[in-house]
Amino acid sequence: MRRLFGVLLAAVVLFAVVSSGCISPGGGEKVTVTFLSTQLNPPEERAFVQDELLKGFTDETGIEVNFVPISYTDMVTRLEGEMQTGKVTIDLIGDLHGGMDYMASKGWLEDLGGMPKLEGRTFINTFERYAHIRGQKVYIPWMSATYVMVVNKEAFKYLPEGLTEEDVMKGTDKWTYDALLQWAKNLKEAKGQPELGFPAGPKGLFVRFLHGYIYPSYTGYQAKEFDSPEAVEMWNYLKELWPYVHPSSTTWDAMADPLLKGEVLIAWDHTARIKNAIETKPDQFVVVPVPRGPKGRGFIVVLAGLAIPKGAPHKDQAWKLIDYLTKPETQVKVLEKVGFFPTVEEASGKLPEGPLKILAKGVQAQASTQDALVVMIPNLGDKGGQFKEYYKQAFERIVLNNEDPATVTKEIKPDLIKLFEEVGVPVP
Amino acid sequence: MERRSLVPYLLILPAFLYLLFFVGYPLVQALYLAFTQNGAFSLEVWRRTFSDYYFWSAFKYTILLAGVIVPTQVALAVVLALLMNRVFKGKDAALYALIIPLTISDVAAGLIWYSMLSPYGFINKLLMNLGVISQPLYFFGYEYRMREFFAIVIAELWRSTAIVFVIILAGLQMISKEYIEAAEVFGANYWTRLRRIVLPLLKPSIQSALIIRTLFAMQIFGIVWILAGRDIPVLAGEGYYQLTEIKDAGVASVYALVIAALSILLGALYIKFLRAEYLEVGE
């Protein structure tokens, strides 16, 4: 009996010593920052984050990071639960602008205005402005992405009269949707087949072009003026343009392949989806701003930020991680590996010559056009798919099936607006 | 005594549990998703599905594809089986070649045909080199839906005729030579033997092949998705699209239930109209 008691006692003492961390290997207390992210979730990106990006941080600071890739819905559910019970375990959140806006509106995020200054970097002005919501600094701009046009240099031989290569490269006033139409016409006449392409397949992002590029360029809004006369004019323009668009467009999900195969000479797509073409043949392609419409040059900026939830257990360490992730060197690494663009100005000076520079230059040219009409993807959560569906349907009915644009847009608009009302998001 | 009567139930229990878990539970879930709105009984999801822009054209194309593919496939398989039922040199090699597509998934088959039929693919290059055409022929794109339809039919025939062929060949080999020899003795020529003896005796095999193929045709998806995307909507494709892109699990369930209902209906029709003759033949 006494022996058993002795063993038990020894076990309890041992347990207490180990669990108190007194004899943990590194000596000092190990901190693990929990980092939830809706970005960089695909397996190969995840591997890069865990094996390279965060390892660099741990080597530098000794702080471990538990990177948790998660969907937006799951993240919101978890954060809401933690906020309600008061037991916060999340230290850092990486999400898109829209998600940050929502979480901030719920009062879940720390105001980062009072945190120490991040040295040696200047955040791009537009991004910095978006990161301030309702008078609070809600997040630190982390990564950005956008959709641009890629031009095979061969196409410049067929520019319409009055439009120069320089106009297109810089995005001047002359680089309009009408000029694009004329250019596409010239190309078809010269080549015998349409040379302009869009990713309008089932998984393609063409719908972003509709609601984030051409709609705002013609109407000034994404959804608000869905059935306005300007919108009808826009649809008629698309109808006129479509014969000069490569017919396989409705089956393409990404434009890198068609560009590389020479099936098209001009294409519009997400930067990540054309990156491969530019990397493979950097001498052949240039990235240019999109054309402008009567109301300006509408384009989408996808902006991801980093935020700290209220009551985060390791706030200071999370800030250190933010500091690391927004350093120009780190941002360049992210661009090289996963194709997300930096949010700090200094990063562009650190880019090596070559394909990435071509891409970054195009993106920057687009962002700094005078008539830029920056558009954010509306944050509709689960309804985002339905939102896209309405634009796709309008496109199929009007452009492909030749229905009357005024009738179709009038029919779809109430459903579209209802979507925003259901979610409680202002109509953009 | 009582213990012994439990044995059959115990033996069937694993299968029953399996079905309950992997078939019953999802089915109940699908029914729940399709018939409720915010937790209460509602037909709203069905209304949403039937008013969906793509529903009726998906329904139409699914039936149309099955209507074109299945009969062609069965006819083709019967002809092939009759040819392969003879003894000739290189028969084994020919058999292997015929069955190879069976080992390829529908998505892979779709990709193979997509690259062959693409504007810069094998077929266009061949036709251009032969001087038949000067510009590549487009098989894909909304304006060419007829050609996309044709490409799907070709790819699907290539891929899944083999399964019908195997079933029919097996049936053919079970037909006793004696019937045929007897017919020959009485002076029946090849066509008469085929019509009066071989085909009637082959009916059970044809029936199984038809049922299997028709049911699979209701779920046609991978090949269509690869070759035509949503230019040619089909029921299974729309169900998938609703779930993954639009994130409407309710409507996706309705699509699944519609496919299930169609399959049950067609299966029942086949059994009703084909079984009677099968019994006569067996007697």
Side-chain angles (χ1 to χ4, degrees):
Chain A
M1 192 64 200
R2 269 185 74 176
R3 228 171 104 196
L4 183 69
F5 182 70
V7 170
L8 265 177
L9 190 70
V12 167
V13 170
L14 190 70
F15 177 70
V17 168
V18 171
S19 60
S20 70
C22 282
I23 50 167
S24 76
E29 198 190 346
K30 268 247 150 103
V31 172
T32 302
V33 171
T34 305
F35 177 16
L36 262 63
S37 170
T38 60
Q39 302 302 301
L40 306 175
N41 287 3
E44 65 271 39
E45 295 183 7
R46 200 183 290 190
F48 158 69
V49 171
Q50 280 163 341
D51 302 341
E52 272 187 65
L53 198 63
L54 295 178
K55 203 173 160 292
F57 174 68
T58 308
D59 290 347
E60 220 175 280
T61 59
I63 302 168
E64 297 275 345
V65 183
N66 176 21
F67 180 68
V68 187
I70 193 167
S71 76
Y72 171 72
T73 331
D74 290 348
M75 187 174 75
V76 167
T77 314
R78 178 164 163 186
L79 195 59
E80 188 166 24
E82 293 193 0
M83 287 295 156
Q84 276 168 5
T85 55
K87 260 197 187 160
V88 180
T89 63
I90 307 166
D91 298 305
L92 187 63
I93 284 172
D95 189 26
L96 297 178
H97 169 84
M100 293 293 189
D101 187 10
Y102 174 76
M103 288 183 275
S105 74
K106 292 276 178 181
W108 296 339
L109 302 180
E110 194 82 48
D111 182 0
L112 300 176
M115 296 302 277
K117 203 173 146 33
L118 298 164
E119 297 294 340
R121 70 211 74 172
T122 325
F123 287 94
I124 292 169
N125 195 13
T126 324
F127 297 161
E128 192 64 17
R129 247 190 7 250
Y130 275 106
H132 283 85
I133 304 176
R134 290 173 283 270
Q136 277 199 349
K137 182 153 180 61
V138 171
Y139 62 89
I140 303 294
W142 174 28
M143 307 185 297
S144 74
T146 186
Y147 310 73
V148 285
M149 278 203 152
V150 183
V151 178
N152 188 323
K153 285 178 188 164
E154 157 108 19
F156 284 128
K157 289 185 203 151
Y158 308 96
L159 278 171
E161 228 170 284
L163 187 73
T164 63
E165 197 177 322
E166 169 114 349
D167 287 326
V168 178
M169 298 279 282
K170 289 210 172 132
T172 65
D173 280 358
K174 288 189 195 147
W175 176 219
T176 60
Y177 278 106
D178 289 328
L180 176 70
L181 173 65
Q182 193 52 51
W183 195 4
K185 271 185 190 167
N186 291 357
L187 281 167
K188 189 178 177 179
E189 270 163 32
K191 297 274 172 187
Q193 62 157 26
E195 296 286 350
L196 173 65
F198 288 101
K203 295 236 165 210
L205 295 168
F206 179 60
V207 67
R208 299 279 179 230
F209 178 78
L210 294 176
H211 78 78
Y213 283 74
I214 200 161
Y215 245 107
S217 296
Y218 272 81
T219 69
Y221 299 95
Q222 296 187 67
K224 212 180 233 166
E225 299 287 330
F226 191 78
D227 59 348
S228 63
E230 288 84 6
V232 172
E233 187 197 332
M234 182 277 280
W235 284 114
N236 284 327
Y237 166 80
L238 264 184
K239 268 171 133 163
E240 209 184 324
L241 180 71
W242 209 251
Y244 308 103
V245 172
H246 198 288
S248 302
S249 286
T250 52
T251 60
W252 286 335
D253 288 343
M255 294 311 295
D257 260 5
L259 280 166
L260 280 172
K261 282 187 188 151
E263 287 178 271
V264 293
L265 294 178
I266 307 175
W268 172 96
D269 207 344
H270 190 281
T271 43
R273 295 187 176 195
I274 40 124
K275 189 168 151 253
N276 186 30
I278 294 158
E279 276 174 348
T280 315
K281 291 184 177 167
D283 302 333
Q284 201 157 52
F285 301 109
V286 285
V287 175
V288 302
V290 289
R292 59 165 290 152
K295 289 274 158 68
R297 195 180 314 268
F299 61 87
I300 292 178
V301 168
V302 183
L303 180 59
L306 296 163
I308 300 178
K310 274 190 185 148
H314 310 104
K315 194 174 154 190
D316 294 335
Q317 287 84 348
W319 186 253
K320 274 190 188 152
L321 184 52
I322 291 181
D323 178 43
Y324 173 79
L325 288 172
T326 53
K327 274 183 189 158
E329 306 89 80
T330 319
Q331 298 241 307
V332 168
K333 207 173 188 182
V334 169
L335 173 59
E336 282 171 346
K337 291 293 160 118
V338 291
F340 277 111
F341 288 87
T343 49
V344 296
E345 283 170 15
E346 285 80 358
S348 60
K350 293 197 159 42
L351 272 171
E353 286 296 324
L356 281 174
K357 200 139 197 178
I358 299 174
L359 210 60
K361 249 167 84 183
V363 170
Q364 197 148 20
Q366 177 163 293
S368 43
T369 45
Q370 292 300 309
D371 43 11
L373 230 166
V374 176
V375 166
M376 292 277 178
I377 295 172
N379 180 42
L380 295 168
D382 275 358
K383 305 260 187 219
Q386 189 60 56
F387 168 74
K388 291 195 264 179
E389 184 67 11
Y390 288 134
Y391 286 86
K392 274 190 195 174
Q393 242 175 58
F395 171 74
E396 182 165 337
R397 291 176 61 182
I398 297 168
V399 178
L400 301 178
N401 278 342
N402 210 15
E403 287 184 48
D404 173 41
T407 321
V408 173
T409 48
K410 283 227 156 50
E411 247 176 70
I412 293 179
K413 195 187 177 190
D415 292 332
L416 181 68
I417 301 300
K418 209 172 98 194
L419 218 54
F420 287 91
E421 283 164 359
E422 277 170 23
V423 185
V425 169
V427 184
Chain B
M1 200 57 198
E2 260 196 335
R3 275 186 86 104
R4 241 173 107 197
S5 64
L6 270 178
V7 170
Y9 295 103
L10 283 174
L11 285 174
I12 218 169
L13 190 66
F16 180 72
L17 285 178
Y18 173 86
L19 284 175
L20 199 68
F21 189 73
F22 286 109
V23 179
Y25 176 69
L27 186 67
V28 171
Q29 269 290 328
L31 285 169
Y32 176 80
L33 284 170
F35 283 104
T36 56
Q37 175 91 341
N38 301 324
F41 175 83
S42 158
L43 287 176
E44 161 63 21
V45 182
W46 290 82
R47 189 202 60 77
R48 215 156 65 220
T49 312
F50 290 141
S51 62
D52 182 47
Y53 178 67
Y54 289 97
F55 180 81
W56 290 110
S57 73
F59 192 86
K60 180 187 86 183
Y61 275 117
T62 307
I63 302 284
L64 213 58
L65 277 169
V68 173
I69 292 168
V70 177
T72 320
Q73 215 159 39
V74 171
L76 207 62
V78 169
V79 173
L80 284 172
L82 286 171
L83 287 173
M84 295 302 285
N85 200 29
R86 299 149 179 255
V87 182
F88 61 90
K89 222 179 156 193
K91 183 182 166 185
D92 285 350
L95 248 176
Y96 281 123
L98 271 175
I99 291 172
I100 281 175
L102 247 185
T103 60
I104 294 172
S105 81
D106 55 346
V107 172
L111 285 171
I112 290 172
W113 281 91
Y114 186 84
S115 53
M116 285 214 290
L117 293 170
S118 74
Y120 293 88
F122 167 72
I123 289 179
N124 267 310
K125 284 219 172 103
L126 185 77
L127 291 177
M128 269 154 90
N129 287 342
L130 289 175
V132 182
I133 48 171
S134 59
Q135 283 285 332
L137 269 180
Y138 293 118
F139 280 94
F140 307 110
Y142 193 86
E143 293 144 63
Y144 304 119
R145 270 175 302 170
M146 270 315 288
R147 294 186 200 169
E148 282 181 328
F149 191 87
F150 175 71
I152 293 167
V153 169
I154 294 278
E156 191 60 7
L157 284 181
W158 176 80
R159 185 187 71 88
S160 63
T161 301
I163 182 87
V164 185
F165 165 74
V166 168
I167 295 171
I168 288 176
L169 186 66
L172 208 54
Q173 286 174 345
M174 286 202 312
I175 295 174
S176 167
K177 290 247 168 9
E178 286 166 28
Y179 296 139
I180 298 181
E181 279 161 12
E184 271 172 34
V185 169
F186 286 106
N189 65 12
Y190 181 77
W191 289 110
T192 317
R193 294 199 306 267
L194 188 67
R195 249 169 13 108
R196 299 281 176 184
I197 300 169
V198 178
L199 287 183
L201 284 173
L202 213 50
K203 229 168 214 165
S205 308
I206 295 180
Q207 183 205 1
S208 325
L210 264 178
I211 292 182
I212 289 177
R213 276 304 305 148
T214 312
L215 300 194
F216 277 122
M218 291 300 110
Q219 311 165 7
I220 189 167
F221 170 39
I223 279 201
V224 180
W225 199 248
I226 298 281
L227 293 177
R230 251 178 132 198
D231 294 348
I232 293 184
V234 284
L235 290 171
E238 284 309 301
Y240 169 79
Y241 196 84
Q242 287 283 342
L243 190 67
T244 58
E245 293 290 313
I246 303 180
K247 307 252 190 297
D248 193 332
V251 173
S253 305
V254 173
Y255 272 106
L257 289 172
V258 168
I259 295 171
L262 263 178
S263 304
I264 292 169
L265 181 75
L266 288 168
L269 284 179
Y270 275 136
I271 289 170
K272 187 169 158 55
F273 288 110
L274 289 171
R275 192 168 60 177
E277 292 190 56
Y278 166 62
L279 286 176
E280 275 169 26
V281 171
E283 271 160 9

